[in-house]
Amino acid sequence: MTAQKSPVSPITWLDNRVLLIDQNQLPKEYSTVEISSSQDMAEAIKTMIVRGAPAIGVAAAYGMYLGAREIETGDRTEFLAKLEQVGELLRSTRPTAVNLFWAISRMLKTANQTSGSVEQVQKTLLEMAKTIQAEDVQTCKDIGDKGLEVLPATPEKLNLLTHCNAGALATAGYGTALGVFRSAWREGRLGRVFADETRPRLQGAKLTTWECVQEGIPVTLIADNMAAHCMKLGMIHAVVVGADRIAANGDAANKIGTYSLAIVAKAHNVPFFVAAPLSTIDFELSDGSQIPIEERDSVEMYQVGTTRICPEGVEFYNPAFDVTPAALISGIITEHGTVAPGDLKQFQAKQLV
Ligand code: MRU
């Protein structure tokens, strides 16, 4: 076993407000932002101060509580109607990560099922937000440990490649794909993380490498177009990525570039795993073509730092996610174990809703 430093928690509840690590400032600066209203939480999700599917879900759960606290009425029916509007506000922030919608639904269901005064419902909502956060940490640890069972057995330590950031910063702590790497590191099985830089927002370069460096995990940064070369040279034993939404047939949406990475992995016989909690599975969608794909501002494409990298007169296309077909996925690692993408249905009854 390797001694481990604790991973960071991107979201902290502080008596009456939420503290978020400002992920837009990393790695240049570690700073936090205080959030005291549902409007500010919606803005923080939209502007990616907090990002990553499970973390967005936890943030939205606290956003629901903050919104509940803002409703000034003692009338239960009026309160529940206004809470629906808070849900609408938070839902409008980002369309792809289903954990956002899952957490909001869970908070609304809790409000509807809690009897007693408005004040009692508000109190219960805060408890539920804390529960969703605590569950996510445990879920990620379970994903990490279950992932160990499917990583290839190799005489040498494993070199594992990931895309974007599916780490502690993207969850309530520990991470999904990076959770698997953390568990492998703890067990002495991890040699090195390879992090795709992840154009255009560079979550791999800025966040995944930052998390690894914080904890002393060896990490090598590569540009997104280097993965095939590295695999051809035998440098990568497996790929593990996170997901923002997985359809019932196992098609998985994740950060743009994941799909091409899966194709490259298939071409080189490198196992390609998706690590995600059950809250990321959308059983209402039969396949990945129904997953809404967020398109973001073109400034993410034409500007690096403060420098414009292409001439005026160019047009842009900036989808934030793509869908990896189930056929390219070796297994989906969940907190309940790893299954072939086509076998997800068995987990439907276990999903907390
Ligand atoms: O746009 P982002 O940074 O929110 O996208 C994040 C990802 O694509 C992650 O891989 C995904 O949310 C899984 S996080 C455990």
Side-chain angles (χ1 to χ4, degrees), residues 156-234:
E156 69 276 41
K157 290 191 178 184
L158 291 163
N159 288 343
L160 301 173
L161 173 63
T162 193
H163 189 70
C164 192
N165 172 264
L169 288 165
T171 60
Y174 206 75
T176 55
L178 272 193
V180 176
F181 297 0
R182 281 195 169 91
S183 292
W185 178 244
R186 183 193 68 215
E187 296 303 315
R189 289 183 61 193
L190 178 67
R192 176 165 295 275
V193 171
F194 281 78
D196 269 0
E197 66 177 351
T198 318
R199 278 279 293 152
R201 285 188 68 98
L202 305 174
Q203 290 95 326
K206 292 181 171 177
L207 306 177
T208 296
T209 60
W210 182 81
E211 284 193 34
C212 290
V213 168
Q214 293 302 302
E215 294 166 50
I217 299 173
V219 58
T220 297
L221 178 65
I222 59 170
D224 297 334
N225 49 9
M226 295 175 185
H229 177 73
C230 293
M231 287 182 196
K232 192 169 187 186
L233 295 181

Side-chain angles (χ1 to χ4, degrees), residues 77-253:
T77 313
E78 191 185 343
F79 171 82
L80 290 173
K82 291 206 165 142
L83 194 63
E84 283 285 348
Q85 291 169 11
V86 178
E88 278 311 306
L89 166 76
L90 290 160
R91 277 192 199 102
S92 69
T93 53
R94 297 195 73 190
T96 304
V98 76
N99 310 62
L100 174 78
F101 304 89
W102 169 86
I104 294 167
S105 298
R106 211 167 150 196
M107 293 294 280
L108 286 171
K109 190 172 169 193
T110 301
N112 279 287
Q113 289 179 345
T114 305
S115 52
S117 64
V118 164
E119 204 183 318
Q120 182 56 48
V121 180
Q122 288 166 329
K123 251 171 94 180
T124 308
L125 285 174
L126 177 58
E127 289 317 308
M128 181 48 89
K130 290 180 184 172
T131 300
I132 289 174
Q133 182 173 23
E135 277 174 6
D136 187 68
V137 177
Q138 188 54 51
T139 295
C140 285
K141 288 183 176 164
D142 292 344
I143 289 171
D145 290 354
K146 296 287 181 194
L148 289 180
E149 296 165 10
V150 293
L151 289 177
T154 47
E156 69 276 41
K157 290 191 178 184
L158 291 163
N159 288 343
L160 301 173
L161 173 63
T162 193
H163 189 70
C164 192
N165 172 264
L169 288 165
T171 60
Y174 206 75
T176 55
L178 272 193
V180 176
F181 297 0
R182 281 195 169 91
S183 292
W185 178 244
R186 183 193 68 215
E187 296 303 315
R189 289 183 61 193
L190 178 67
R192 176 165 295 275
V193 171
F194 281 78
D196 269 0
E197 66 177 351
T198 318
R199 278 279 293 152
R201 285 188 68 98
L202 305 174
Q203 290 95 326
K206 292 181 171 177
L207 306 177
T208 296
T209 60
W210 182 81
E211 284 193 34
C212 290
V213 168
Q214 293 302 302
E215 294 166 50
I217 299 173
V219 58
T220 297
L221 178 65
I222 59 170
D224 297 334
N225 49 9
M226 295 175 185
H229 177 73
C230 293
M231 287 182 196
K232 192 169 187 186
L233 295 181
M235 291 163 66
I236 309 294
H237 294 109
V239 178
V240 188
V241 297
D244 287 81
R245 195 185 292 227
I246 304 173
N249 72 340
D251 292 349

